[in-house]
Amino acid sequence: HPAYTSPDCPTSVLREYLDKFVLTGDTAKAATKICEISEMEKPPARMFLGKTAIEAVRKRIKELQESLDESESWSEGLNA
């Protein structure tokens, strides 16, 4: 359908990204780890596999912590 051929269409953008996406590392080990985690009695709500993922999450946590610290005083006395 012509509506889906526009390069700005989210579907087209995703297709272009996925065409260039390359998995790195040992994907068989990752798949095994995912299976192990899925079979846990209480699996985690989120799972981060690989050093790149860990680094990205740590960076985001740092950003959130800094934002929280900067805005913490706004809540003083609100008791909400």
Side-chain angles (χ1 to χ4, degrees), residues 22-68:
V22 177
L23 287 172
T24 58
D26 191 332
T27 55
K29 277 186 181 179
T32 299
K33 187 55 69 179
I34 291 168
C35 288
E36 288 173 10
I37 292 169
S38 72
E39 293 171 353
M40 293 172 69
E41 185 175 326
K42 291 185 179 183
R46 291 172 185 80
M47 149 177 67
F48 309 104
L49 297 177
K51 291 189 182 270
T52 303
I54 299 294
E55 289 170 8
V57 171
R58 287 189 196 279
K59 179 182 176 200
R60 184 64 181 135
I61 289 170
K62 182 179 181 227
E63 292 168 353
L64 288 170
Q65 184 66 53
E66 289 170 356
S67 178
L68 178 63

